[in-house]
Amino acid sequence: MDFRALRSFVVLANQLHFGRAANLLHLSQPALSKQIRKLEDEIGAPLFHRDTAGTSLSAAGAVLAKDAEDLLARCGEAFLRAQRAGRGEVGTLDIGFGIATYELVPRVIARFRSRYPEIHVSLRDMPTAEQVLALRAGRLDIGFIRLPAPDDFAVRPVATERLILALPPAAKDVRTMADLHGLPLVVMSRERTHYIFDQVIALCAAFHVTPYIAQEVAEFPTALALVASGVGASLVPRSARRDDLPIVYREIDHPAADWSVGAVWRPVEGECVVANFLACLGEKLGAQRSHPSSSDDIPPSPTGSAHDEFGR
Amino acid sequence: MDFRALRSFVVLANQLHFGRAANLLHLSQPALSKQIRKLEDEIGAPLFHRDTAGTSLSAAGAVLAKDAEDLLARCGEAFLRAQRAGRGEVGTLDIGFGIATYELVPRVIARFRSRYPEIHVSLRDMPTAEQVLALRAGRLDIGFIRLPAPDDFAVRPVATERLILALPPAAKDVRTMADLHGLPLVVMSRERTHYIFDQVIALCAAFHVTPYIAQEVAEFPTALALVASGVGASLVPRSARRDDLPIVYREIDHPAADWSVGAVWRPVEGECVVANFLACLGEKLGAQRSHPSSSDDIPPSPTGSAHDEFGR
DNA sequence: CACGATAATAACCAAAAGTTATCAAGACGT
DNA sequence: ACGTCTTGATAACTTTTGGTTATTATCGTG
């Protein structure tokens, strides 16, 4: 059943006049006659009674007319929805995020939702590794993971932190990571924030320090309190620093101390939903909105900007 | 938006493989590629991600796929409904009937409804003249009217009655209508059954008899009771005759005494609903099923058959 | 009875959709 | 690392379809 014929049929059913209907449809009367006749052949029954005194709907025509109008409306609707989906205005967006983005992501999503109310956003809390898998499998559109990202992803760095050394006053002669060797260490529990734990371990390894774990804690303030009470040293993000405690801080001048989170996505052509979300993200970060909607180059990293976007 | 392209799209969305989908659609792979590309151009966004590793739906494609399947189903449904309407299996049937068919018509309609449950039958009680107008205006499909019908209608005679003279014993020397002159007459009230009244008047006129109306009644048995008690003569359908009363009956050998009802309809090409109804009617009458579904000749009149189908 | 209106038909033309053959790019197995 | 295979795109060509104009048949109507 041809679509154009259906549209012609509806117009004719309203006009009940081949000439007028043909005009409205911007085609000639014989063309319309042919279309209708073809439709009638397909259906196997006349849709109109042709009478020189006037054209009128047949029983079959009357039945079809009722359905056809609705059908055309639905079709147009579907078409528009598809177009809007192409512009990233309707559809779904699956976002993965982890503990480090509990503050940032919901805020961006709130903005995104108000701007694109017809996008169904689904948030999935999962660790970095799982996000990478889900992204590759297409189960996620965007992930927020610890950087660096595997290089088959496009990246938008979102927040950068740097670990600093927190020392009890008694250990104020420790100046660098290397001096940490043998000192007891307060670390974040691997349970909840294993990537922080992992990074601490990796950082120690980078300095050939064998960490001696004195205590595991769940929150940075707790760790600092323990440091202040002399339990041991700790490594915390700079934003967690508290100066009201008797603690000595040391910068760590090593890339392994950098701790950044970025939005990553598969660099696929023409998926506007992702681009739209990244635009919201960019605005939220107050940074330049460099997001390649249809190119797979990695946007310039705004390193050094956007501190303190997370931290507890 | 082309319909065939939509169907192709749905198949491809299920298969996610141009070659296989093309096979299922019985066309070549380039043709399918072209169709999809055209659809994408119309919509303005890619519907699939083409990757040598495999084809997958884009965001827009996923949205459209959801709608398209439903759309196609509805379309097929509408198509089938139209076909069935063409065969007179769905739709509406507007029937007009009057007092004389109160017994027959509902029985036929019951049969018709059980056979064509998806035809919405609407019954309209209206007198002959009004039925004729409604039929011409297309507001009725079938009417049951007193015959003869105007000759732009097709007719199926349904019941024939003949008026007979009912005389009180005291008037048994009356032998023909002509002898009725001056005799008091018991007639049916014009209110309820004006066509019977009218026919009695017409019958009298045919014999140049000026009727002298002694009494109007509502039912034939009442009329006969009055006749038996000597109030006057009466004209009743033969089927109303009662032999347990002291009444003398006389046949009237004149066409004006004939009183028949027929189903009439506009002889329009290819309206199966009407034909189907007439088939039911024919079966109910137990007569030959001569009903011209697509010709406008009047079916052979089964005169003399089908007595007693109405009468009160 | 000629005229006007309406839809069907015919002849023709252009656009489309289909076909086969071929190409380019990755995945894959050796 | 290199042919091979798979997959989809492209090109050239053909067929089909849909559209146009011109004409005809058939009614109502002045």
Side-chain angles (χ1 to χ4, degrees), chain A residues 16-19 29-30 33-34 37 50 52 55:
Chain A
L16 292 178
H17 189 293
F18 279 77
Q29 171 260 315
S33 283
K34 250 205 230 174
R37 172 161 302 255
R50 275 84 152 176
T52 48
T55 303

Side-chain angles (χ1 to χ4, degrees), chain A residues 223-247:
Chain A
L224 292 178
L226 293 182
V227 170
S229 63
V231 173
S234 189
L235 290 154
V236 301
R238 186 152 43 193
S239 65
R241 169 172 179 161
R242 290 182 54 188
D243 290 318
D244 56 340
L245 294 173
I247 296 180

